[in-house]
Amino acid sequence: MPTEVLLVEDSPGDVRLTQEAFREANIAIKLHVAEDGVEAMEFLRREGVHADAPRPDLILLDLNLPRMDGREVLALIKADDKLKSIPTVILTTSEAEADIVKSYHLQANCYLSKPVELEVFEGLVKSINEFWLTRAKLPKVWQIT
């Protein structure tokens, strides 16, 4: 079964780089993309065109997004009993201490700053795969009984 990853990212260049890096790191990953926070929540709640969306095993969330920023998305995810157990990794250009503190306060599972160098960015995505999708144990069934 594929590993479902939701990438919430508005930069087409970063989307393309992430897709290519995951393709090289792990062909079993199915990467879904939401271009803004509103679309991300529609995907996660299976609304509208996303009615058949799979539940992601991991969310990679940018902070600086149009329509609804990543901080709001993170707060909604972690406040929702059906979504809060999905590991959510902040993947953003911001290195501001306030963003780091706020993200962890909102229960982000990890905060990573996007490097500007292509090779370093690819290495970061590969390390996300190595840790979150290879070494970390994620539940196969998300329902709590």
Side-chain angles (χ1 to χ4, degrees):
M1 291 195 49
T3 301
E4 307 287 350
V5 175
L6 175 61
L7 173 64
V8 187
E9 174 60 66
D10 65 319
S11 165
D14 286 352
V15 169
R16 191 178 70 254
L17 288 174
T18 305
Q19 288 170 327
E20 290 174 12
F22 271 130
R23 198 173 302 122
E24 287 181 25
N26 185 343
I27 59 169
I29 292 173
K30 183 159 186 188
L31 190 66
H32 305 273
V33 178
E35 296 179 358
D36 60 52
V38 172
E39 184 182 2
M41 293 312 301
E42 289 170 350
F43 184 96
L44 291 166
R45 292 175 175 158
R46 297 180 175 140
E47 297 172 345
V49 298
H50 299 290
D52 295 325
R55 180 182 174 92
D57 298 298
L58 179 70
I59 300 168
L60 300 176
L61 178 61
D62 189 16
L63 290 182
N64 302 310
L65 299 167
R67 296 204 298 165
M68 179 190 301
D69 80 9
R71 296 156 198 85
E72 294 173 83
V73 173
L74 180 59
L76 290 170
I77 290 169
K78 296 305 181 177
D80 187 319
D81 284 339
K82 294 178 182 175
L83 302 175
K84 67 182 176 184
S85 62
I86 302 172
T88 304
V89 173
I90 303 303
L91 183 59
T92 188
T93 55
S94 174
E95 293 186 14
E97 187 67 20
D99 284 336
I100 297 168
V101 170
K102 175 88 172 174
S103 295
Y104 282 114
H105 178 76
L106 292 172
Q107 301 176 349
N109 295 90
C110 183
Y111 191 102
L112 300 170
S113 295
K114 288 184 216 171
V116 282
E117 301 85 13
L118 175 61
E119 289 180 12
V120 180
F121 183 82
E122 288 174 347
L124 179 63
V125 172
K126 288 177 183 176
S127 71
I128 291 169
N129 172 68
E130 178 68 22
F131 179 77
W132 285 103
L133 305 174
T134 305
R135 297 198 183 268
K137 299 296 182 203
L138 302 176
K140 297 295 180 200
V141 179
W142 287 99
Q143 295 180 354
I144 299 172
T145 54

